[in-house]
């Protein structure tokens, strides 16, 4: 689904990601772990076309995708749920969701209703809060809005940047369960950056470790969970 070779990304005069290689297969959840500052968010933003001046070879859904804009990538089915969630606080929950629909280039009312009902099926809490201003929701609920907005774009692949950070433990479980359902029921591919390593290991099919702007290890989640030197790898 996604294949990345020798990827470089950063900020003006700050190179961060320096030659990252990774693959995410169809219907696969791949976790990406690394210390703060390792370059995880920069990698995701770079892949999603948010940063200028990235280079490397990227293939997405069977076609070359190097240098594509965020808009083009969204239309092809890749969506980033950013670490800061990017929710529009003064818009209602449903207006936020609608932004995802428009971002995908779709505009048919019937298709909107279909995607909306499907997303609300996964995120029933948002149905109750549909007309509330997103800014009045809790952090966990805003994370659901951010994921819901991504779902309204009809994605084949989600890039999730720390979806569970700062959430209460029961919400962390909810988010992980949701990610698994999206894989199992929608065959979605997921690249999942997480600080909640234990839960992410339980949900993921494969794991990468990132350090200093590169992918330094690839691992099997069960082996890594059982590994005594897990932390020395970081
Ligand atoms: N907007 C920015 N401008 C300049 N440097 C940045 C910016 N955002 C992040 N960085 C730097 O890039 C490095 C990697 O950050 P980031 O990708 O956010 O790491 P992670 O998500 O793994 O914690 C850090 O050293 C950080 O200071
Ligand atoms: Mg980050």
């Amino acid at each position: 689904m996604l294949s990345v070779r020798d990827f470089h990304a950063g900020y003006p005069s700050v190179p961060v990601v320096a030659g990252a290689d990774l693959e995410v297969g169809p219907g696969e959840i791949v976790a990406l772990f690394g210390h703060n500052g390792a370059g995880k968010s920069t990698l995701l933003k770079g892949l999603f076309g948010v940063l200028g001046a990235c280079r490397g070879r990227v293939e997405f859904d069977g076609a070359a995708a190097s240098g594509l804009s965020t808009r083009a990538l969204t239309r092809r089915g890749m969506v980033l749920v950013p670490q800061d969630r990017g929710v529009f606080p003064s818009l209602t929950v449903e207006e936020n969701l609608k932004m995802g629909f428009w971002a995908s280039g779709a505009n048919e009312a019937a298709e909107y209703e279909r995607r909306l009902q499907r997303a609300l099926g996964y995120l029933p809490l948002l149905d109750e809060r549909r007309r509330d201003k997103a800014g009045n929701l809790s952090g966990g609920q805003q994370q659901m809005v951010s994921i819901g907005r991504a779902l309204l774009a009809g994605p084949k692949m989600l890039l999730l940047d720390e979806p569970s950070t700062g959430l209460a433990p029961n919400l962390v479980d909810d988010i992980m369960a949701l990610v698994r359902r999206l894989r199992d029921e929608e065959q979605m591919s997921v690249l999942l950056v997480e600080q909640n390593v234990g839960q992410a290991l339980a949900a993921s099919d494969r794991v990468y470790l990132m350090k200093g702007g590169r992918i330094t290890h690839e691992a099997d989640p069960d082996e890594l969970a059982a590994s005594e030197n897990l932390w020395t790898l970081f």
Side-chain angles (χ1 to χ4, degrees):
M1 174 58 54
L2 177 70
S3 168
V4 178
R5 290 280 165 274
D6 195 25
F7 193 71
H8 295 250
Y11 307 91
S13 76
V14 191
V16 176
V17 178
D21 297 306
L22 66 102
E23 310 266 347
V24 181
E28 192 181 36
I29 299 174
V30 175
L32 178 63
F33 299 139
H35 281 308
N36 268 336
K40 307 177 298 294
S41 295
T42 304
L43 173 60
L44 264 50
K45 286 192 265 186
L47 290 173
F48 194 50
V50 177
L51 306 173
C54 297
R55 61 192 168 82
R57 211 164 73 242
V58 181
E59 274 183 33
F60 175 63
D61 198 21
S66 307
L68 289 187
S69 66
T70 296
R71 182 183 158 91
L73 287 163
T74 304
R75 289 177 177 218
R76 278 179 47 177
M78 180 194 289
V79 182
L80 169 69
V81 178
Q83 191 170 354
D84 67 4
R85 299 177 184 137
V87 165
F88 299 98
S90 61
L91 299 184
T92 66
V93 166
E94 186 168 352
E95 285 164 346
N96 269 276
L97 299 180
K98 207 171 263 179
M99 303 289 271
F101 181 69
W102 286 332
S104 72
N107 56 18
E108 233 188 299
E111 177 64 8
Y112 171 68
E113 203 49 41
R114 196 185 67 78
R115 287 190 199 174
L116 178 67
Q117 290 312 326
R118 204 154 174 176
L120 293 177
Y122 285 111
L123 302 161
L125 188 138
L126 296 187
D127 204 5
E128 297 160 26
R129 308 297 304 267
R130 225 159 129 167
R131 285 167 198 85
D132 294 346
K133 291 250 186 291
N136 292 339
L137 271 55
S138 70
Q141 292 166 341
Q142 291 193 25
Q143 185 63 60
M144 301 291 179
V145 173
S146 190
I147 294 173
R149 185 177 54 197
L151 294 182
L152 264 285
K156 296 173 183 157
M157 172 161 201
L158 291 176
L159 310 176
L160 299 179
D161 198 349
E162 300 201 18
S164 76
T165 296
L167 304 191
N170 61 324
L171 278 176
V172 176
D173 293 340
D174 288 353
I175 297 254
M176 294 299 165
L178 171 61
V179 173
R180 283 196 236 207
R181 283 188 69 195
L182 293 174
R183 173 192 61 193
D184 297 340
E185 297 171 29
E186 307 284 334
Q187 290 73 51
M188 233 174 257
S189 303
V190 179
L191 182 56
L192 173 67
V193 171
E194 262 302 336
Q195 299 286 356
N196 289 304
V197 171
Q199 278 108 322
L201 279 177
S204 57
D205 301 302
R206 217 146 47 72
V207 178
Y208 289 119
L209 304 185
M210 188 169 191
K211 193 173 183 178
R214 288 166 170 266
I215 306 292
T216 52
H217 288 84
E218 179 182 342
D220 175 82
D222 297 331
E223 282 171 24
L224 198 57
S227 155
E228 285 178 12
N229 60 359
L230 169 66
W231 303 109
T232 65
L233 293 172
F234 280 79

